[in-house]
Amino acid sequence: MLNYTTQSRWPNGFGSQQSPIDLKNVGAVHAGTALDFEMRNAYGLTSEIDDQTTIRDLGDGAATIFGRQFAFVQVHFHAPAEHLLAGQAKPFEIHLVHQNSIGQLVVVALLVDVGETDATLQQIIDQFEPGQTQPVHIQLGKWVAEQPIGFHYLGSLTTPPLTEGVEWLVITNPTVTISSRQLAWFKAHFQPNNRQVQPLNNRRVEIYTKQE
Amino acid sequence: MLNYTTQSRWPNGFGSQQSPIDLKNVGAVHAGTALDFEMRNAYGLTSEIDDQTTIRDLGDGAATIFGRQFAFVQVHFHAPAEHLLAGQAKPFEIHLVHQNSIGQLVVVALLVDVGETDATLQQIIDQFEPGQTQPVHIQLGKWVAEQPIGFHYLGSLTTPPLTEGVEWLVITNPTVTISSRQLAWFKAHFQPNNRQVQPLNNRRVEIYTKQE
């Protein structure tokens, strides 16, 4: 029986809902044809930071995500990708971090293939100054399709403090690609910065895609 | 610098967003005139459990909470209240626990004064069987005003596993009251079951109330 007089020693379940995870179609619950994510204006980047393990750009923007209003806060990059698709890692993953008025976090993750050079990524690369934080004026390209498909689940930040209660939309059909030259630049400047996949435990993962 | 080769030893910030908290008008951000909580149908209770420290009734129902759909899962009771209002505890607090399709939790807490006998609480009391879990057929009364006012913040479960990422709506003008006789019944059957208030840390608390 729960003892309220010894509550400082209550067990806790922190750490059971961590990210990233290995995303699989099998076991995921089909919940719709497209993820409910809409950028309500163009996202602007205003400050670029050398985070030592990645580039992080702070910015502003507004989105509607599953019926709620969120502010875009920052974007950063992982190579290789952190989320796996049936055990396989894409070469690159972009994290668009959003927050609402009480601090709830939604990360929109884009799993990026090698392909055409992306102009926004090139601006971010060109303006990077090692060890510096500096003002930038970059407008994010249209990185997301009208009908984004992918996964939706409850997880955590993938870097310390590893905060849980973070909502993830992992988009598998972004319109952004990264050129092999851009990817080589990231690999030359940063060590691999993907956290290992974490146990799913008893979480429910939703998949949003067109019915076959 | 964050070292990806020793990530099993990364520090975490779990435990910094716990509930309950001491709610104060001063410092809270005025965010609207009413909390966006609407029961979309009558909540029904189908199973009543002696949780040893409280009564917990499982049930079903649907709500819209700040623009998103949630299912009502269970209701349970604390005496005295867990959330404080400027350091003061109400005699009783009702927790209506809701969940959405990916497991996000919203607890709608009602801070209850002593007053008239509540018919639903009386049914719950009358059907209680110590040590038992049993089927019940109880329809929840209209416990919440059309324009619920109160607080909105991000916290945790108040019992183990103390999971964080829980959204709280703490309603300070519920239409339900508890009679002194009903309150005495709860106190006779259960020890005080209020968790101590937890540090706010750097969380933002919103207040929804009519402008003075």
Side-chain angles (χ1 to χ4, degrees):
Chain A
M1 175 169 156
L2 196 58
N3 186 343
Y4 277 83
T5 67
T6 58
Q7 55 183 265
S8 64
R9 298 196 296 274
W10 281 356
N12 69 60
F14 306 156
S16 64
Q17 299 195 328
Q18 289 285 297
S19 295
I21 57 172
D22 185 5
L23 296 161
K24 298 169 183 174
N25 291 21
V26 175
V29 177
H30 189 270
T33 57
L35 288 159
D36 185 1
F37 169 62
E38 189 186 358
M39 295 181 183
R40 289 170 46 224
N41 56 21
Y43 287 7
L45 307 181
T46 55
S47 175
E48 183 157 318
I49 300 163
D50 177 1
D51 245 357
Q52 302 192 294
T53 57
T54 190
I55 299 178
R56 183 160 48 99
D57 284 87
L58 311 187
D60 41 62
T64 305
I65 305 174
F66 285 101
R68 289 177 96 148
Q69 308 305 313
F70 283 84
F72 166 67
V73 179
Q74 51 112 329
V75 59
H76 61 265
F77 309 95
H78 296 272
E82 298 203 291
H83 286 89
L84 303 183
L85 291 176
Q88 302 295 310
K90 295 281 187 182
F92 198 66
E93 181 168 337
I94 298 175
H95 286 170
L96 298 164
V97 181
H98 302 77
Q99 194 166 35
N100 74 358
S101 58
I102 59 165
Q104 288 178 307
L105 291 165
V106 178
V107 185
V108 176
L110 313 181
L111 299 185
V112 179
D113 283 311
V114 171
E116 298 292 312
T117 298
D118 182 76
T120 307
L121 286 179
Q122 195 57 45
Q123 286 185 277
I124 290 167
I125 287 170
D126 290 343
Q127 302 201 28
F128 179 71
E129 292 282 353
Q132 302 293 314
T133 294
Q134 58 183 328
V136 293
H137 297 283
I138 299 172
Q139 187 165 316
L140 227 71
K142 178 128 188 54
W143 282 351
V144 178
E146 292 291 328
Q147 299 281 313
I149 65 175
F151 297 88
H152 185 214
Y153 80 98
L154 194 58
S156 74
L157 298 181
T158 65
T159 54
L162 305 173
T163 311
E164 300 194 325
V166 175
E167 181 177 347
W168 283 87
L169 282 70
V170 183
I171 294 178
T172 56
N173 69 337
T175 54
V176 58
T177 54
I178 186 169
S179 71
S180 53
R181 184 174 180 149
Q182 291 176 321
L183 185 61
W185 184 92
F186 271 96
K187 288 181 174 174
H189 284 76
F190 303 102
Q191 294 294 311
N193 62 356
N194 60 309
R195 187 186 190 201
Q196 297 305 302
V197 291
Q198 304 293 310
L200 183 61
N201 298 321
N202 57 356
R203 284 177 285 179
R204 189 173 188 267
V205 176
E206 293 184 338
I207 185 167
Y208 287 77
T209 187
K210 294 187 184 72
Q211 293 274 23
E212 304 275 307
Chain B
M1 175 168 155
L2 196 58
N3 186 342
Y4 277 83
T5 67
T6 57
Q7 54 182 265
S8 64
R9 297 196 295 274
W10 282 356
N12 69 60
F14 306 154
S16 63
Q17 298 194 328
Q18 289 286 296
S19 294
I21 57 172
D22 186 5
L23 296 162
K24 298 169 183 173
N25 290 22
V26 176
V29 178
H30 189 268
T33 56
L35 289 158
D36 185 1
F37 169 62
E38 189 186 357
M39 296 180 181
R40 290 170 46 225
N41 56 22
Y43 287 7
L45 308 180
T46 55
S47 174
E48 182 157 318
I49 299 163
D50 176 2
D51 246 356
Q52 302 193 295
T53 57
T54 189
I55 298 177
R56 184 160 47 99
D57 284 88
L58 310 186
D60 41 61
T64 306
I65 304 173
F66 284 101
R68 289 177 96 147
Q69 307 305 313
F70 283 84
F72 165 68
V73 179
Q74 51 113 329
V75 59
H76 62 264
F77 309 95
H78 295 271
E82 298 203 291
H83 286 89
L84 303 183
L85 291 177
Q88 301 296 310
K90 295 279 188 183
F92 198 66
E93 181 168 337
I94 299 174
H95 286 170
L96 298 164
V97 181
H98 302 77
Q99 194 166 36
N100 75 358
S101 58
I102 60 165
Q104 288 178 308
L105 291 167
V106 178
V107 184
V108 177
L110 313 180
L111 299 185
V112 179
D113 281 310
V114 171
E116 297 293 311
T117 298
D118 182 76
T120 308
L121 285 179
Q122 195 58 45
Q123 285 184 277
I124 290 167
I125 288 171
D126 290 344
Q127 302 202 28
F128 179 70
E129 291 281 351
Q132 302 292 313
T133 294
Q134 58 182 326
V136 293
H137 298 284
I138 298 173
Q139 186 166 318
L140 228 70
K142 180 129 187 54
W143 281 351
V144 178
E146 292 292 327
Q147 299 281 312
I149 65 175
F151 298 88
H152 184 212
Y153 80 98
L154 195 56
S156 75
L157 299 181
T158 64
T159 53
L162 305 172
T163 312
E164 299 193 327
V166 175
E167 182 177 345
W168 283 88
L169 282 69
V170 183
I171 295 178
T172 56
N173 69 337
T175 54
V176 57
T177 54
I178 186 168
S179 71
S180 53
R181 185 174 178 149
Q182 290 177 320
L183 185 61
W185 185 92
F186 272 95
K187 289 181 174 175
H189 284 76
F190 303 103
Q191 294 293 312
N193 63 356
N194 60 309
R195 188 185 189 200
Q196 298 304 304
V197 290
Q198 303 294 311
L200 182 61
N201 297 320
N202 57 356
R203 283 176 285 178
R204 189 173 189 268
V205 176
E206 292 184 338
I207 185 167
Y208 287 78
T209 187
K210 294 188 183 71
Q211 294 274 23
E212 304 275 309

